[in-house]
Amino acid sequence: MASPYGIIESSKSIIHEVTGKCKGYGFVKYRTADQAEKAIEAFTAQGLHSTLAKDSFKSKLKRLQDRSSANVYVSNLSPDIDEAGLVDLIKPHPVISARILRDTLTGQHKGAGFAR
């Protein structure tokens, strides 16, 4: 149904959890915006409702991510460890920044942190 309008990079039909049948809608990701526009025009001409989907927050973050570094979440940290101690745990890997999670009201250590 969607392939005549361009190169499909991914597609997903939305399936009902109980019946296992398609709910009647889905998503198609074309290689280019022009291909997507072409498909929307064709589907609309056929009387089908179609539009560009909005970027989800997750996909925006993925698109904007820094590919040269990663955030590492570390849990079960000893209550006496601080940011410098977290950096020591990550060595010999380079650390750009480190943060221990603390309760905003009490400042108490939550036993977890992030390093980048």
Coordinates of all heavy atoms in Angstrom, one line a residue, residues 39-92:
A39 N 3.3 10.3 -0.7 CA 2.4 9.3 -0.1 C 1.2 10.0 0.5 O 0.0 9.5 0.3 CB 3.1 8.5 0.9
I40 N 1.4 11.1 1.2 CA 0.3 11.7 1.9 C -0.7 12.2 0.8 O -2.0 12.1 1.0 CB 0.8 12.9 2.8 CG1 1.4 12.3 4.0 CG2 -0.4 13.8 3.2 CD1 2.2 13.3 4.8
E41 N -0.2 12.9 -0.2 CA -1.1 13.3 -1.3 C -1.9 12.2 -1.9 O -3.1 12.3 -2.2 CB -0.2 14.0 -2.4 CG 0.3 15.4 -1.9 CD 1.3 16.0 -3.0 OE1 1.2 15.6 -4.2 OE2 2.0 16.9 -2.6
A42 N -1.2 11.1 -2.2 CA -1.9 9.9 -2.8 C -2.9 9.3 -1.9 O -4.0 9.0 -2.3 CB -0.8 8.9 -3.2
F43 N -2.6 9.2 -0.6 CA -3.6 8.6 0.3 C -4.8 9.5 0.5 O -5.9 9.1 0.6 CB -2.9 8.3 1.7 CG -1.9 7.2 1.7 CD1 -0.8 7.3 2.5 CD2 -2.0 6.1 0.8 CE1 0.2 6.3 2.5 CE2 -1.1 5.1 0.8 CZ 0.0 5.2 1.7
T44 N -4.5 10.8 0.6 CA -5.6 11.8 0.7 C -6.5 11.7 -0.5 O -7.8 11.7 -0.4 CB -5.1 13.2 0.9 OG1 -4.2 13.2 2.0 CG2 -6.2 14.2 1.0
A45 N -5.9 11.6 -1.7 CA -6.7 11.5 -3.0 C -7.6 10.2 -3.0 O -8.6 10.1 -3.6 CB -5.8 11.5 -4.2
Q46 N -7.1 9.2 -2.2 CA -7.9 7.9 -2.1 C -8.9 8.0 -1.0 O -9.6 7.0 -0.7 CB -6.9 6.7 -1.8 CG -6.0 6.4 -3.0 CD -5.0 5.4 -2.5 OE1 -5.3 4.4 -1.8 NE2 -3.7 5.6 -3.0
G47 N -9.0 9.1 -0.3 CA -10.0 9.3 0.8 C -9.5 8.8 2.1 O -10.3 8.6 3.1
L48 N -8.2 8.5 2.2 CA -7.6 8.1 3.5 C -7.0 9.3 4.2 O -6.4 10.2 3.7 CB -6.5 7.1 3.2 CG -6.9 5.8 2.5 CD1 -5.6 5.0 2.1 CD2 -7.8 4.9 3.3
H49 N -7.2 9.3 5.6 CA -6.7 10.3 6.4 C -5.2 10.0 6.6 O -4.8 9.0 7.0 CB -7.4 10.4 7.7 CG -6.8 11.4 8.7 ND1 -6.9 12.8 8.4 CD2 -6.0 11.3 9.7 CE1 -6.2 13.4 9.4 NE2 -5.7 12.5 10.2
S50 N -4.3 10.9 6.2 CA -2.9 10.8 6.4 C -2.3 12.1 6.7 O -2.7 13.1 6.2 CB -2.3 10.1 5.2 OG -2.5 10.8 4.0
T51 N -1.2 12.1 7.5 CA -0.5 13.3 7.9 C 0.9 13.0 8.3 O 1.2 11.8 8.6 CB -1.3 14.1 9.0 OG1 -0.6 15.3 9.2 CG2 -1.4 13.2 10.2
L52 N 1.7 14.0 8.4 CA 3.1 13.7 9.0 C 2.9 13.6 10.5 O 2.2 14.3 11.2 CB 4.0 14.9 8.7 CG 4.4 15.1 7.3 CD1 5.2 16.4 7.1 CD2 5.2 13.9 6.8
A53 N 3.6 12.6 11.1 CA 3.5 12.3 12.5 C 4.5 13.3 13.2 O 5.5 13.7 12.6 CB 3.9 10.9 12.8
K54 N 4.1 13.7 14.4 CA 5.0 14.6 15.1 C 6.2 13.7 15.7 O 6.0 12.6 16.0 CB 4.3 15.2 16.3 CG 3.3 16.3 15.8 CD 2.6 16.9 17.0 CE 1.6 17.9 16.5 NZ 0.9 18.6 17.6
D55 N 7.3 14.4 15.8 CA 8.5 13.7 16.4 C 8.2 13.5 17.9 O 7.8 14.4 18.6 CB 9.7 14.6 16.3 CG 10.9 14.0 15.5 OD1 10.8 12.9 15.2 OD2 11.8 14.8 15.3
S56 N 8.4 12.3 18.4 CA 8.3 12.1 19.8 C 9.5 12.6 20.5 O 10.5 12.9 19.9 CB 8.2 10.6 20.1 OG 9.4 9.9 19.9
F57 N 9.4 12.9 21.8 CA 10.5 13.4 22.6 C 11.7 12.4 22.5 O 12.8 12.8 22.3 CB 10.0 13.6 24.1 CG 11.1 14.1 24.9 CD1 11.5 15.5 24.8 CD2 11.7 13.4 25.9 CE1 12.5 16.0 25.6 CE2 12.7 13.9 26.7 CZ 13.1 15.2 26.5
K58 N 11.4 11.1 22.6 CA 12.4 10.1 22.5 C 13.2 10.2 21.2 O 14.4 10.1 21.1 CB 11.8 8.7 22.7 CG 12.8 7.6 22.7 CD 12.2 6.3 23.0 CE 13.2 5.2 23.0 NZ 12.5 3.9 23.2
S59 N 12.4 10.3 20.1 CA 13.1 10.4 18.8 C 13.9 11.7 18.6 O 14.9 11.7 17.9 CB 12.1 10.1 17.6 OG 11.2 11.2 17.6
K60 N 13.4 12.7 19.2 CA 14.2 14.0 19.1 C 15.5 13.9 19.9 O 16.5 14.3 19.4 CB 13.4 15.1 19.7 CG 12.3 15.7 18.8 CD 11.6 16.8 19.5 CE 10.4 17.3 18.7 NZ 9.6 18.4 19.4
L61 N 15.4 13.3 21.0 CA 16.7 13.0 21.8 C 17.6 12.2 21.0 O 18.8 12.4 21.0 CB 16.3 12.4 23.2 CG 15.7 13.3 24.2 CD1 15.4 12.5 25.5 CD2 16.7 14.5 24.5
K62 N 17.1 11.1 20.4 CA 18.0 10.2 19.7 C 18.6 10.9 18.5 O 19.8 10.7 18.2 CB 17.1 9.0 19.2 CG 18.0 7.9 18.6 CD 17.1 6.7 18.3 CE 18.0 5.6 17.8 NZ 17.2 4.4 17.5
R63 N 17.9 11.8 17.8 CA 18.4 12.5 16.7 C 19.5 13.5 17.1 O 20.4 13.7 16.4 CB 17.2 13.2 15.9 CG 17.6 13.8 14.6 CD 16.5 14.5 13.9 NE 16.0 15.7 14.6 CZ 14.9 15.8 15.2 NH1 14.0 14.8 15.3 NH2 14.6 17.0 15.8
L64 N 19.3 14.1 18.3 CA 20.2 15.1 18.7 C 21.3 14.6 19.6 O 22.2 15.4 20.0 CB 19.4 16.2 19.5 CG 18.3 16.9 18.8 CD1 17.5 17.8 19.7 CD2 18.9 17.8 17.7
Q65 N 21.4 13.3 19.8 CA 22.4 12.8 20.8 C 23.8 13.0 20.3 O 24.1 13.1 19.1 CB 22.1 11.3 21.0 CG 22.6 10.4 19.8 CD 22.2 8.9 20.1 OE1 21.8 8.6 21.1 NE2 22.4 8.1 19.1
D66 N 24.6 13.1 21.3 CA 26.1 13.2 21.1 C 26.6 11.8 20.9 O 26.7 11.0 21.8 CB 26.7 13.9 22.3 CG 28.2 14.0 22.2 OD1 28.8 13.6 21.1 OD2 28.8 14.5 23.2
R67 N 27.0 11.5 19.6 CA 27.5 10.2 19.3 C 28.9 9.9 19.8 O 29.3 8.7 19.7 CB 27.4 9.9 17.8 CG 25.9 10.1 17.3 CD 25.8 9.6 15.9 NE 24.5 10.0 15.3 CZ 23.3 9.4 15.6 NH1 23.3 8.4 16.5 NH2 22.2 9.8 15.0
S68 N 29.6 10.9 20.3 CA 31.0 10.6 20.7 C 31.0 10.3 22.2 O 32.1 10.0 22.7 CB 31.8 11.9 20.4 OG 31.4 13.0 21.2
S69 N 29.9 10.4 22.9 CA 29.9 10.1 24.4 C 28.6 9.4 24.8 O 27.7 9.4 24.0 CB 30.2 11.3 25.2 OG 29.1 12.2 25.0
A70 N 28.5 8.9 26.0 CA 27.3 8.3 26.4 C 27.1 8.6 27.9 O 28.1 8.8 28.7 CB 27.4 6.8 26.2
N71 N 25.9 8.6 28.4 CA 25.6 8.7 29.8 C 25.5 7.4 30.4 O 25.0 6.4 29.8 CB 24.2 9.4 30.0 CG 24.2 10.9 29.8 OD1 25.2 11.5 30.1 ND2 23.1 11.4 29.4
V72 N 26.2 7.2 31.5 CA 26.2 5.9 32.2 C 25.5 6.1 33.6 O 25.9 7.0 34.3 CB 27.6 5.4 32.5 CG1 27.7 4.2 33.3 CG2 28.4 5.3 31.1
Y73 N 24.5 5.3 33.8 CA 23.8 5.3 35.1 C 24.4 4.3 36.0 O 24.5 3.1 35.6 CB 22.3 5.1 34.8 CG 21.5 4.9 36.1 CD1 21.1 6.1 36.8 CD2 21.0 3.7 36.6 CE1 20.3 6.0 38.0 CE2 20.3 3.6 37.7 CZ 19.9 4.7 38.4 OH 19.2 4.6 39.5
V74 N 24.7 4.7 37.2 CA 25.3 3.7 38.2 C 24.5 3.8 39.4 O 24.2 4.8 40.0 CB 26.8 4.2 38.5 CG1 27.4 3.1 39.5 CG2 27.6 4.3 37.3
S75 N 24.0 2.5 39.8 CA 23.2 2.5 41.1 C 23.9 1.6 42.1 O 25.0 1.1 41.9 CB 21.8 1.9 40.7 OG 22.0 0.6 40.2
N76 N 23.3 1.5 43.3 CA 23.8 0.8 44.4 C 25.1 1.4 44.9 O 26.0 0.7 45.3 CB 24.0 -0.7 44.2 CG 22.6 -1.3 43.9 OD1 21.6 -0.9 44.5 ND2 22.6 -2.3 43.1
L77 N 25.3 2.7 44.8 CA 26.5 3.4 45.2 C 26.5 3.5 46.7 O 25.5 3.7 47.4 CB 26.6 4.8 44.6 CG 26.8 4.9 43.1 CD1 26.7 6.3 42.6 CD2 28.1 4.3 42.7
S78 N 27.7 3.4 47.3 CA 27.8 3.6 48.7 C 27.4 5.0 49.1 O 27.7 6.0 48.4 CB 29.3 3.3 49.1 OG 29.6 3.7 50.4
P79 N 26.8 5.2 50.3 CA 26.4 6.6 50.7 C 27.5 7.6 50.8 O 27.3 8.8 50.8 CB 25.7 6.3 52.0 CG 25.4 4.9 52.1 CD 26.4 4.2 51.2
D80 N 28.7 7.1 51.0 CA 29.9 8.0 51.2 C 30.6 8.4 49.9 O 31.5 9.2 49.9 CB 30.9 7.4 52.2 CG 31.5 6.1 51.7 OD1 30.8 5.4 50.9 OD2 32.6 5.7 52.1
I81 N 30.1 7.8 48.8 CA 30.8 8.2 47.5 C 30.3 9.6 47.0 O 29.1 9.9 47.1 CB 30.6 7.1 46.4 CG1 31.6 7.2 45.3 CG2 29.2 7.1 45.9 CD1 31.6 6.0 44.4
D82 N 31.2 10.4 46.5 CA 30.8 11.7 45.9 C 31.1 11.7 44.4 O 31.5 10.6 43.9 CB 31.5 12.8 46.7 CG 33.0 12.7 46.6 OD1 33.6 11.8 45.9 OD2 33.7 13.5 47.2
E83 N 31.0 12.8 43.8 CA 31.2 12.9 42.4 C 32.7 12.5 42.0 O 32.9 11.8 41.0 CB 31.0 14.3 41.8 CG 29.5 14.6 41.6 CD 28.7 14.9 42.9 OE1 29.2 14.9 44.0 OE2 27.5 15.1 42.7
A84 N 33.6 12.9 42.8 CA 35.0 12.4 42.5 C 35.2 10.9 42.6 O 35.9 10.3 41.8 CB 36.0 13.2 43.5
G85 N 34.5 10.3 43.6 CA 34.5 8.9 43.8 C 33.9 8.2 42.6 O 34.3 7.1 42.2
L86 N 32.8 8.8 42.0 CA 32.1 8.2 40.9 C 33.1 8.2 39.7 O 33.2 7.3 38.9 CB 30.8 9.0 40.6 CG 30.0 8.5 39.4 CD1 29.7 7.0 39.5 CD2 28.8 9.3 39.2
V87 N 33.8 9.3 39.5 CA 34.8 9.4 38.4 C 35.9 8.3 38.6 O 36.2 7.7 37.6 CB 35.5 10.8 38.4 CG1 36.6 10.9 37.5 CG2 34.4 11.9 38.0
D88 N 36.3 8.1 39.8 CA 37.3 7.1 40.1 C 36.8 5.7 39.7 O 37.5 4.8 39.2 CB 37.7 7.1 41.5 CG 38.6 8.2 41.9 OD1 39.2 8.8 41.0 OD2 38.7 8.6 43.1
L89 N 35.5 5.4 39.9 CA 34.9 4.2 39.6 C 34.9 3.9 38.0 O 35.0 2.8 37.6 CB 33.4 4.1 40.0 CG 33.1 3.7 41.4 CD1 31.6 3.9 41.7 CD2 33.5 2.3 41.7
I90 N 34.7 5.0 37.3 CA 34.6 4.9 35.8 C 36.0 4.8 35.2 O 36.1 4.3 34.1 CB 33.9 6.1 35.2 CG1 32.5 6.3 35.9 CG2 33.7 6.0 33.7 CD1 31.5 5.2 35.6
K91 N 37.0 5.2 35.8 CA 38.4 5.2 35.3 C 38.7 3.7 34.9 O 38.2 2.8 35.5 CB 39.4 5.7 36.3 CG 39.4 7.2 36.4 CD 40.5 7.6 37.4 CE 40.6 9.1 37.5 NZ 41.5 9.5 38.5
P92 N 39.4 3.6 33.8 CA 40.3 4.5 33.0 C 39.5 5.2 31.9 O 40.2 5.9 31.1 CB 41.4 3.6 32.4 CG 40.6 2.3 32.2 CD 39.6 2.2 33.3

